């Protein structure tokens, strides 16, 4: 795979757009199809494509396992923490009404933050699973 | 004639059932653990179809509000199935990890050979 | 209940005006073609002995399923199925095949009982299905209850235009919280099964040298030392 020039250059051309598309899907989820899950899986797919083409060692430089494994619980904590913030603002758990004076804006902010938590957990879990399976194969 | 009409109006459901029993058959009949997991995911996918089929309204559009459209599909099954897909891949990944460990412990992923090597099974 | 049903009541007239490009019959026809292809792929999966073929066929199956979901107007689900079903699970299945070998052995046991059980279940399901409302009609019971409320909310700018995202993250955010927890738990489980729990039998994982210190920092010293011992044995 190291010598396959077309694959390597083609992958390098495509990779930033995959990540950009993931971010688009994440932040445009209120207005078009998409959301945290899809964005997380697409972002993880970028890292996995990079690992397949350039090797797992190169992939670990752009997504170090320490950071990935830190992000797995971080997303759940972001989600949980959003609920606690809404509790502190005087509303029910995960009721986003207090985040902004305008009702719709408040709920859009809440959805965005919660989806960010989903993105973090889903993408890092998928990357961590891929690393675990791929490393098992090294003999 | 009546039967043909029922077939046309319920075609989605019948194909869903075909997918479902194929998944069930693979899970029961095949001994290879990876094939069993593929069968399990077939079964799961047919459940997605079972939920999404009644949500569709012919002539409607996707549940993203636009003043130009009046008829939308039911968004609730979409939400439930979105959740189910991600949980499905998580369970499949966990099952595959178990398959890898079984392969390392027994040297095979065929169910019959695992049973013959396992002293605890009859 | 009746006021909630009003957004759906004038359906026919508005549909004809708004969606003149896609005829309902064309939609139904596309759907039937894709469904038949799905059934064919499924039978191929059942009959295929080579596991590599099975994995690739299941990838094709997922893409077909995603296109079917597009026709069924479930755009968010289609996107998820295309990226998760055809992307991530195919990659994980291939990674597992690399570790376990790709041929399925011929079967010795009889398939009569599984076939009977499957067909019996299928017959019961068909019998139960005939009573369901027919496909694609607007006045099915499930369209009368909460969906009009969501559409009304979206129309009145009380929630974002994409109803699926709004229901997922706002109305049913507890549900999604549980789901994120499930993903988290499964990830931890995979990491424990494949990276931790180091046994004497597993001698087949040795990291690159430059990865060792990062990994040790993550997993703690105790596990790192046992890992290097395992690596030395290998």
């Amino acid at each position: 795979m190291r010598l396959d020039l077309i694959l390597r250059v083609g992958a390098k051309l495509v990779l930033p757009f995959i990540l950009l598309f993931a971010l688009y899907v994440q932040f445009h989820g209120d207005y078009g199809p998409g959301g945290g899950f899809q964005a997380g899986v697409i972002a993880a797919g970028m890292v996995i494509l990079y690992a397949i083409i350039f090797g797992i060692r190169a992939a670990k430089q752009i997504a170090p396992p320490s950071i990935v494994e830190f992000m797995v619980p971080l997303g759940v904590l972001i989600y949980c923490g959003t609920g606690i913030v809404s509790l502190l603002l005087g509303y029910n758990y995960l009721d986003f009404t207090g985040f902004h004076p305008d009702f719709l804006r408040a709920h859009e902010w809440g959805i965005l933050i919660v989806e960010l938590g989903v993105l973090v957990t889903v993408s890092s879990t998928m990357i961590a699973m891929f690393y675990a399976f791929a490393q098992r194969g090294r003999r | 004639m009546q039967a043909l009409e029922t077939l046309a109006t319920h075609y989605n459901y019948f194909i869903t059932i075909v997918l479902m029993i194929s998944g069930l058959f693979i899970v029961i009949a095949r001994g290879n653990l990876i094939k069993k997991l593929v069968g399990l995911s077939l079964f799961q996918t047919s459940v997605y179809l079972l939920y999404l089929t009644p949500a569709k309204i012919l002539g409607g559009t996707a549940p993203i509000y636009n003043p130009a459209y009046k008829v939308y599909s039911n968004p609730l099954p979409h939400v439930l199935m979105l959740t189910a897909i991600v949980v499905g891949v998580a369970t499949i990944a966990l099952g595959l990890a178990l398959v890898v460990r079984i392969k390392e412990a027994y040297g095979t992923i065929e169910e019959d050979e695992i049973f013959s090597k396992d002293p605890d099974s009859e | 209940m009746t006021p909630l049903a009003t957004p759906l009541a004038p359906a026919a007239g508005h549909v004809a005006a708004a969606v003149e490009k896609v005829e309902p019959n064309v939609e139904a026809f596309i759907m039937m073609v894709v469904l038949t292809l799905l059934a064919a792929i499924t039978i191929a999966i059942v009959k295929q002995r080579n596991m590599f073929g099975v994995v690739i066929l299941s990838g094709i199956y997922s893409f077909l399923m995603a296109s079917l979901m597009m026709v069924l107007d479930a755009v968010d689900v289609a996107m998820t199925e295309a990226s998760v079903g055809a992307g991530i699970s195919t990659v994980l299945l291939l990674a597992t095949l690399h570790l376990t070998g790709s041929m399925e052995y011929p079967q010795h046991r009889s398939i009569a009982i599984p076939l009977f059980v499957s067909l019996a279940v299928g017959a019961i399901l068909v019998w139960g299905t005939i009573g369901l409302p027919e496909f694609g009609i607007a006045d099915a019971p499930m369209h009368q209850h909460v969906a009009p409320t969501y559409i009304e909310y979206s129309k009145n700018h009380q929630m974002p235009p994409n109803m699926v995202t709004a229901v997922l993250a706002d109305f049913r955010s507890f549900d999604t919280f549980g789901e994120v927890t499930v993903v988290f738990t499964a990830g931890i489980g995979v990491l424990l099964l494949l990276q931790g729990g180091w046994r004497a039998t597993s001698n087949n994982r040795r990291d690159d040298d430059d990865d060792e210190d990062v990994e040790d920092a993550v997993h703690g010293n105790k596990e790192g030392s046992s890992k290097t011992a395992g690596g030395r044995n290998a």
Side-chain angles (χ1 to χ4, degrees), chain C:
Chain C
M1 271 305 117
T2 34
L4 288 182
T6 43
L8 286 173
H14 279 290
V15 172
V19 206
E20 47 195 352
K21 291 283 164 58
V22 186
E23 288 270 323
N25 286 338
V26 176
E27 272 184 297
F29 178 72
I30 295 174
M31 203 162 339
M32 283 186 177
V33 171
V34 178
L35 280 166
T36 314
L37 282 173
L38 263 180
I41 296 277
T42 311
I43 291 166
I45 290 177
V46 173
K47 294 192 78 70
Q48 179 65 258
R49 287 282 171 197
N50 187 337
M51 293 313 291
F52 187 75
V54 168
V55 171
I56 298 302
L57 280 173
S58 78
I60 297 172
Y61 175 93
S62 290
F63 268 122
L64 272 178
M65 184 59 91
S67 5
L68 184 61
M69 286 164 178
M70 279 302 297
V71 187
L72 285 171
D73 285 342
V75 277
D76 293 78
V77 192
M79 202 174 194
T80 318
E81 175 69 20
S83 53
V84 170
I88 300 287
S89 31
T90 307
V91 164
L92 291 180
L93 279 167
L94 285 178
T96 314
L97 278 190
H98 175 63
L99 297 171
T100 57
S102 68
M103 269 320 278
E104 183 184 10
Y105 296 148
Q107 293 281 308
H108 299 300
R109 54 179 137 173
S110 129
I111 62 165
I113 295 174
L115 203 60
F116 173 74
V117 171
S118 310
L119 290 181
V121 171
I124 294 171
L125 287 174
V126 166
W127 177 64
T129 301
I130 292 175
L132 287 177
E134 59 186 75
F135 171 71
I137 55 172
D139 49 355
M142 74 176 292
H143 299 306
Q144 313 302 328
H145 183 40
V146 286
T149 320
Y150 293 146
I151 295 167
E152 197 70 1
Y153 272 29
S154 226
K155 196 174 170 182
N156 299 335
H157 299 289
Q158 284 168 317
M159 69 187 209
N162 187 349
M163 299 165 213
V164 175
T165 305
V167 176
L168 184 83
D170 199 347
F171 286 76
R172 293 185 165 255
S173 43
F174 264 78
D175 223 354
T176 313
F177 185 36
E179 185 218 348
V180 172
T181 317
V182 168
V183 172
F184 166 75
T185 315
I188 297 293
V190 170
L191 292 185
L192 277 177
L193 278 169
L194 293 183
Q195 290 193 340
W198 216 229
R199 297 282 157 75
T201 52
S202 44
N203 55 357
N204 47 10
R205 174 166 172 245
R206 204 179 67 218
D207 282 329
D208 297 323
D209 291 332
D210 55 349
D211 290 335
E212 284 287 347
D213 36 6
V214 181
E215 299 266 325
D216 289 354
V218 176
H219 295 296
N221 285 331
K222 194 175 166 190
E223 203 194 346
S225 60
S226 65
K227 187 197 304 166
T228 39
R232 210 176 292 130
N233 290 340

Side-chain angles (χ1 to χ4, degrees), chain A residues 18-31:
Chain A
I18 298 179
L19 194 57
L20 194 65
F21 183 62
L23 290 175
Y24 167 78
V25 167
Q26 163 74 17
F27 290 110
H28 209 254
D30 285 356
Y31 299 97

Side-chain angles (χ1 to χ4, degrees), chain B residues 77-117:
Chain B
H78 300 186
V79 175
L80 302 178
M81 289 307 105
L82 204 61
T83 311
I85 288 179
V86 180
V87 170
V89 76
T91 51
I92 294 293
L94 199 59
L96 289 174
L98 280 170
V99 169
V100 169
R101 292 301 296 257
I102 287 172
K103 167 76 177 177
E104 285 166 5
Y106 289 91
T108 177
I109 54 167
E110 298 289 332
E111 208 180 40
D112 300 340
E113 294 178 30
I114 295 169
F115 284 156
S116 65
K117 285 184 184 180

